Amino acid sequence: MALDEELSPSERKVARYLADHPNEIPSSTAADLGLRIGTSDATVVRTVKALGYSGLPELKRVLLKTMVDRRDPARMLAQSIDQLGTDATIADQVLLATGNLMQEARHLVDPDTWRTAVDLIDTAGEVLAYGIEEAGCVAEYFAIELRRCGVPARSLTQTGLSVTGGLLPLSSNDTALVIAPLRHFREIDVVIDHARAVGARVLFMSEALGTSVRDRVDVVLQTPQTNVGPASPVIIAMTLARALTLEIAARHPDRAVATEQLVNELRYKAVGTDLDVDPLPSLQTDAEPPEGAE
């Protein structure tokens, strides 16, 4: 990508849109993109060339290849390994890449969209968090954290026929959070369509699929493109899940604290002794010297 200072204000606007919505580009013309961005097709083409491409067709070919590669986990892993440098430890490279993603996420999360997402969770009778494989870990974590804030929540991570049983309790008072970073599995459509059929709200979190489902869900939380870098493709989703939980806890602090206290009480009753293997050290204090003593 060209540096910001090398682009005009209108070109920077186009460049940012292209970076944030890569999945729209292969199926769009320059005129389509210009209409969405609020500029001319000539500015779109000029920006694409300023970014180092011969034109929009070359950019489309590059993006399509990237999309194909990202559907092959083995190829993505091989590319990630190939791109590792030797000037820093792998841990440093992963941490740096993760930090960069966090900064991108701050740009992508629109405050109004975020408030609407929090409202969907806060007003739900029950929250259903759905995800597959790595995204399933985020769904399970989110459901656990919400329950510990006093919010009725459960996770669903099954695929195929097994997904149906988890959808049966969904009602019009509920909210479904669907976490789908990259790949559009059939089960994702089943969850969204059933939620809409029963009148439940749908919050969708993805880096690649937001455009394809935007007209079928209530809110899309866009996450940064992970490409083939060393950062985890679900690290931002996990972070946003934590942020959503803290938003709910901040809105209802008494309920959240009371629920956490109840969790601790039940844990002690279940275990029957201290939870930790190593007890906390006792505080040793020196005796106060008598007055006048040195």
PDB file of all heavy atoms in Angstrom, residues 14 41 44 60 89 153 171 176 185 211 226 229 241 250 260 263 267 270 288:
ATOM      1  N   VAL A  14     -10.488   6.392  -0.803  1.00  0.00           N
ATOM      2  CA  VAL A  14     -10.672   5.190  -1.615  1.00  0.00           C
ATOM      3  C   VAL A  14      -9.794   4.058  -1.092  1.00  0.00           C
ATOM      4  O   VAL A  14     -10.241   2.917  -0.956  1.00  0.00           O
ATOM      5  CB  VAL A  14     -10.336   5.480  -3.098  1.00  0.00           C
ATOM      6  CG1 VAL A  14     -10.359   4.177  -3.906  1.00  0.00           C
ATOM      7  CG2 VAL A  14     -11.319   6.477  -3.685  1.00  0.00           C
ATOM      8  N   ASP A  41     -15.389   7.066 -10.613  1.00  0.00           N
ATOM      9  CA  ASP A  41     -14.697   5.846 -11.001  1.00  0.00           C
ATOM     10  C   ASP A  41     -13.255   6.147 -11.402  1.00  0.00           C
ATOM     11  O   ASP A  41     -12.352   5.325 -11.203  1.00  0.00           O
ATOM     12  CB  ASP A  41     -15.439   5.135 -12.129  1.00  0.00           C
ATOM     13  CG  ASP A  41     -15.681   6.024 -13.341  1.00  0.00           C
ATOM     14  OD1 ASP A  41     -15.482   7.243 -13.239  1.00  0.00           O
ATOM     15  OD2 ASP A  41     -16.082   5.492 -14.391  1.00  0.00           O
ATOM     16  N   VAL A  44     -11.157   6.076  -8.335  1.00  0.00           N
ATOM     17  CA  VAL A  44     -10.930   4.689  -7.923  1.00  0.00           C
ATOM     18  C   VAL A  44      -9.785   4.080  -8.710  1.00  0.00           C
ATOM     19  O   VAL A  44      -8.852   3.489  -8.139  1.00  0.00           O
ATOM     20  CB  VAL A  44     -12.215   3.852  -8.100  1.00  0.00           C
ATOM     21  CG1 VAL A  44     -11.920   2.369  -7.850  1.00  0.00           C
ATOM     22  CG2 VAL A  44     -13.317   4.337  -7.163  1.00  0.00           C
ATOM     23  N   LYS A  60      -8.183  -7.190  -8.676  1.00  0.00           N
ATOM     24  CA  LYS A  60      -9.187  -8.250  -8.519  1.00  0.00           C
ATOM     25  C   LYS A  60      -8.540  -9.623  -8.560  1.00  0.00           C
ATOM     26  O   LYS A  60      -8.892 -10.506  -7.761  1.00  0.00           O
ATOM     27  CB  LYS A  60     -10.240  -8.125  -9.623  1.00  0.00           C
ATOM     28  CG  LYS A  60     -11.161  -6.931  -9.482  1.00  0.00           C
ATOM     29  CD  LYS A  60     -12.193  -6.929 -10.603  1.00  0.00           C
ATOM     30  CE  LYS A  60     -13.175  -5.772 -10.446  1.00  0.00           C
ATOM     31  NZ  LYS A  60     -14.211  -5.786 -11.470  1.00  0.00           N
ATOM     32  N   THR A  89      12.355 -12.910  17.219  1.00  0.00           N
ATOM     33  CA  THR A  89      11.785 -14.204  17.571  1.00  0.00           C
ATOM     34  C   THR A  89      10.370 -14.315  17.014  1.00  0.00           C
ATOM     35  O   THR A  89       9.726 -13.307  16.708  1.00  0.00           O
ATOM     36  CB  THR A  89      11.742 -14.382  19.093  1.00  0.00           C
ATOM     37  OG1 THR A  89      10.812 -13.432  19.644  1.00  0.00           O
ATOM     38  CG2 THR A  89      13.115 -14.186  19.707  1.00  0.00           C
ATOM     39  N   ALA A 153     -26.914 -17.009  28.688  1.00  0.00           N
ATOM     40  CA  ALA A 153     -26.183 -17.184  27.433  1.00  0.00           C
ATOM     41  C   ALA A 153     -25.743 -18.637  27.294  1.00  0.00           C
ATOM     42  O   ALA A 153     -25.515 -19.336  28.286  1.00  0.00           O
ATOM     43  CB  ALA A 153     -24.963 -16.262  27.387  1.00  0.00           C
ATOM     44  N   SER A 171     -35.704 -17.936  20.447  1.00  0.00           N
ATOM     45  CA  SER A 171     -37.014 -17.286  20.387  1.00  0.00           C
ATOM     46  C   SER A 171     -36.867 -15.830  19.965  1.00  0.00           C
ATOM     47  O   SER A 171     -35.758 -15.309  19.802  1.00  0.00           O
ATOM     48  CB  SER A 171     -37.711 -17.363  21.749  1.00  0.00           C
ATOM     49  OG  SER A 171     -37.117 -16.462  22.667  1.00  0.00           O
ATOM     50  N   ALA A 176     -28.708 -13.731  18.550  1.00  0.00           N
ATOM     51  CA  ALA A 176     -27.699 -14.696  18.126  1.00  0.00           C
ATOM     52  C   ALA A 176     -26.450 -13.938  17.676  1.00  0.00           C
ATOM     53  O   ALA A 176     -26.530 -13.047  16.831  1.00  0.00           O
ATOM     54  CB  ALA A 176     -28.223 -15.561  16.991  1.00  0.00           C
ATOM     55  N   PHE A 185     -19.606 -21.225   5.808  1.00  0.00           N
ATOM     56  CA  PHE A 185     -20.139 -22.580   5.903  1.00  0.00           C
ATOM     57  C   PHE A 185     -21.664 -22.558   5.823  1.00  0.00           C
ATOM     58  O   PHE A 185     -22.307 -21.573   6.185  1.00  0.00           O
ATOM     59  CB  PHE A 185     -19.698 -23.228   7.218  1.00  0.00           C
ATOM     60  CG  PHE A 185     -18.204 -23.413   7.347  1.00  0.00           C
ATOM     61  CD1 PHE A 185     -17.464 -22.622   8.206  1.00  0.00           C
ATOM     62  CD2 PHE A 185     -17.546 -24.371   6.599  1.00  0.00           C
ATOM     63  CE1 PHE A 185     -16.099 -22.780   8.326  1.00  0.00           C
ATOM     64  CE2 PHE A 185     -16.177 -24.554   6.706  1.00  0.00           C
ATOM     65  CZ  PHE A 185     -15.447 -23.755   7.571  1.00  0.00           C
ATOM     66  N   THR A 211     -20.201  -8.343   4.066  1.00  0.00           N
ATOM     67  CA  THR A 211     -20.928  -7.832   2.904  1.00  0.00           C
ATOM     68  C   THR A 211     -21.980  -8.813   2.419  1.00  0.00           C
ATOM     69  O   THR A 211     -23.089  -8.424   2.054  1.00  0.00           O
ATOM     70  CB  THR A 211     -19.943  -7.515   1.764  1.00  0.00           C
ATOM     71  OG1 THR A 211     -18.987  -6.561   2.223  1.00  0.00           O
ATOM     72  CG2 THR A 211     -20.669  -6.937   0.562  1.00  0.00           C
ATOM     73  N   THR A 226      -6.771 -10.623   8.382  1.00  0.00           N
ATOM     74  CA  THR A 226      -5.586 -11.247   8.954  1.00  0.00           C
ATOM     75  C   THR A 226      -4.632 -11.752   7.879  1.00  0.00           C
ATOM     76  O   THR A 226      -3.444 -11.935   8.138  1.00  0.00           O
ATOM     77  CB  THR A 226      -5.982 -12.421   9.861  1.00  0.00           C
ATOM     78  OG1 THR A 226      -6.825 -13.331   9.134  1.00  0.00           O
ATOM     79  CG2 THR A 226      -6.732 -11.923  11.074  1.00  0.00           C
ATOM     80  N   GLY A 229      -0.597 -13.475   7.884  1.00  0.00           N
ATOM     81  CA  GLY A 229       0.357 -13.068   8.902  1.00  0.00           C
ATOM     82  C   GLY A 229       0.350 -14.031  10.073  1.00  0.00           C
ATOM     83  O   GLY A 229      -0.456 -14.953  10.144  1.00  0.00           O
ATOM     84  N   ALA A 241     -15.284  -9.810  21.966  1.00  0.00           N
ATOM     85  CA  ALA A 241     -16.183 -10.532  22.870  1.00  0.00           C
ATOM     86  C   ALA A 241     -15.950 -10.087  24.309  1.00  0.00           C
ATOM     87  O   ALA A 241     -16.897  -9.879  25.076  1.00  0.00           O
ATOM     88  CB  ALA A 241     -15.963 -12.039  22.726  1.00  0.00           C
ATOM     89  N   ALA A 250     -20.496  -3.070  32.840  1.00  0.00           N
ATOM     90  CA  ALA A 250     -20.489  -1.654  33.217  1.00  0.00           C
ATOM     91  C   ALA A 250     -21.892  -1.079  33.280  1.00  0.00           C
ATOM     92  O   ALA A 250     -22.180  -0.182  34.084  1.00  0.00           O
ATOM     93  CB  ALA A 250     -19.638  -0.859  32.227  1.00  0.00           C
ATOM     94  N   GLU A 260     -20.675 -12.791  40.039  1.00  0.00           N
ATOM     95  CA  GLU A 260     -19.310 -13.286  40.224  1.00  0.00           C
ATOM     96  C   GLU A 260     -19.116 -13.793  41.643  1.00  0.00           C
ATOM     97  O   GLU A 260     -18.444 -14.820  41.868  1.00  0.00           O
ATOM     98  CB  GLU A 260     -18.316 -12.167  39.921  1.00  0.00           C
ATOM     99  CG  GLU A 260     -16.886 -12.633  39.744  1.00  0.00           C
ATOM    100  CD  GLU A 260     -16.702 -13.507  38.525  1.00  0.00           C
ATOM    101  OE1 GLU A 260     -16.857 -13.018  37.396  1.00  0.00           O
ATOM    102  OE2 GLU A 260     -16.413 -14.709  38.722  1.00  0.00           O
ATOM    103  N   VAL A 263     -20.708 -17.166  41.843  1.00  0.00           N
ATOM    104  CA  VAL A 263     -19.852 -18.158  41.194  1.00  0.00           C
ATOM    105  C   VAL A 263     -18.785 -18.641  42.162  1.00  0.00           C
ATOM    106  O   VAL A 263     -18.533 -19.850  42.311  1.00  0.00           O
ATOM    107  CB  VAL A 263     -19.200 -17.574  39.913  1.00  0.00           C
ATOM    108  CG1 VAL A 263     -18.089 -18.503  39.402  1.00  0.00           C
ATOM    109  CG2 VAL A 263     -20.242 -17.374  38.831  1.00  0.00           C
ATOM    110  N   ARG A 267     -18.330 -22.408  43.737  1.00  0.00           N
ATOM    111  CA  ARG A 267     -17.073 -23.130  43.532  1.00  0.00           C
ATOM    112  C   ARG A 267     -16.549 -23.689  44.845  1.00  0.00           C
ATOM    113  O   ARG A 267     -16.123 -24.853  44.924  1.00  0.00           O
ATOM    114  CB  ARG A 267     -16.032 -22.190  42.913  1.00  0.00           C
ATOM    115  CG  ARG A 267     -16.207 -21.959  41.424  1.00  0.00           C
ATOM    116  CD  ARG A 267     -15.181 -20.958  40.937  1.00  0.00           C
ATOM    117  NE  ARG A 267     -15.131 -20.898  39.493  1.00  0.00           N
ATOM    118  CZ  ARG A 267     -14.328 -20.087  38.810  1.00  0.00           C
ATOM    119  NH1 ARG A 267     -13.540 -19.248  39.467  1.00  0.00           N
ATOM    120  NH2 ARG A 267     -14.316 -20.098  37.495  1.00  0.00           N
ATOM    121  N   ALA A 270     -18.600 -26.617  45.896  1.00  0.00           N
ATOM    122  CA  ALA A 270     -18.364 -27.805  45.069  1.00  0.00           C
ATOM    123  C   ALA A 270     -17.041 -28.475  45.408  1.00  0.00           C
ATOM    124  O   ALA A 270     -16.940 -29.703  45.466  1.00  0.00           O
ATOM    125  CB  ALA A 270     -18.375 -27.416  43.585  1.00  0.00           C
ATOM    126  N   GLU A 288       5.077  -3.386  66.916  1.00  0.00           N
ATOM    127  CA  GLU A 288       5.378  -1.965  67.038  1.00  0.00           C
ATOM    128  C   GLU A 288       6.325  -1.724  68.196  1.00  0.00           C
ATOM    129  O   GLU A 288       6.117  -2.238  69.311  1.00  0.00           O
ATOM    130  CB  GLU A 288       4.065  -1.174  67.270  1.00  0.00           C
ATOM    131  CG  GLU A 288       3.133  -1.157  66.079  1.00  0.00           C
ATOM    132  CD  GLU A 288       3.656  -0.284  64.959  1.00  0.00           C
ATOM    133  OE1 GLU A 288       4.462   0.639  65.255  1.00  0.00           O
ATOM    134  OE2 GLU A 288       3.298  -0.515  63.803  1.00  0.00           O
TER     135      GLU A 288
END
